Amino acid sequence: MEFLGDSVLGLVVTEELYKRFPDLDESRLSPLRSGVVNMRALADIARELDLGKYIRLGKGEEVTGGRDKNSLLADALEALIGAIYLHAGLATTATVVQKLIATTLTQAMQRGAGLDGKTALQELTAQLGSGAPEYIVTETGPDHDKSFSADAMVAGVCISSGTGKSKREAEQVAARSAYEILKPQVMDDTK
């Protein structure tokens, strides 16, 4: 079900983006789609639906907080979308998916024309002439439940920090935050 739901989700989101932004090329549409259908975004939607309480888990996953793991929540949402598709068809599924992703799509668009946080920050620091951002990542916790913290460094200065369940997630959170902090500088420079 997850495999089917992933494909249906990708199709619906791609069509929605194509309709909303007919003038954007693939290089801008693809990262925007990724901003909507990534594991973290899907897990957040699953949390809004309280989907975690309906997942059947083994004892190990139950003990280690599986009901709130991004990967399991995202997979469960994709499986749900697959089930809706099989039961009700593409048109109904598209309507459901569009409602589910509305907020996530708006947030992705606001983050800089579909750029992920790290790419957006890198483009911004290039505009500022500050060089490429760097990330200092630390990890804590036992192997089965690691947490990561990342500092986004620009020109040797820590601009912001972020946390996540993976190194990449922590870096993305830190980068998005740094982007929001530094973006006004670019706006001031263009006035």
Side-chain angles (χ1 to χ4, degrees), residues 1-2 4-5 8 78-93:
M1 283 296 184
E2 172 197 342
L4 178 61
V8 173
E78 289 173 339
L80 177 62
I81 291 168
I84 294 168
Y85 171 76
L86 286 177
H87 178 74
L90 184 58
T92 299
T93 306

Side-chain angles (χ1 to χ4, degrees), residues 153-185:
M153 310 290 290
V154 176
V157 177
C158 179
I159 304 299
S160 66
S161 300
T163 59
K165 286 295 186 182
S166 70
K167 177 182 172 185
R168 183 184 184 326
E169 183 179 347
E171 288 176 344
Q172 286 290 348
V173 171
R176 280 192 296 274
S177 179
Y179 176 86
E180 292 302 322
I181 291 167
L182 296 175
K183 188 166 81 172
Q185 290 182 24

Side-chain angles (χ1 to χ4, degrees), residues 121-149:
L121 181 59
Q122 186 165 344
E123 288 189 5
L124 188 67
T125 57
Q127 285 181 290
L128 291 169
S130 303
E134 296 177 350
Y135 301 90
I136 299 173
V137 180
T138 56
E139 61 182 69
T140 58
D143 287 341
H144 69 276
D145 192 25
K146 289 234 181 261
S147 291
F148 294 83
S149 296

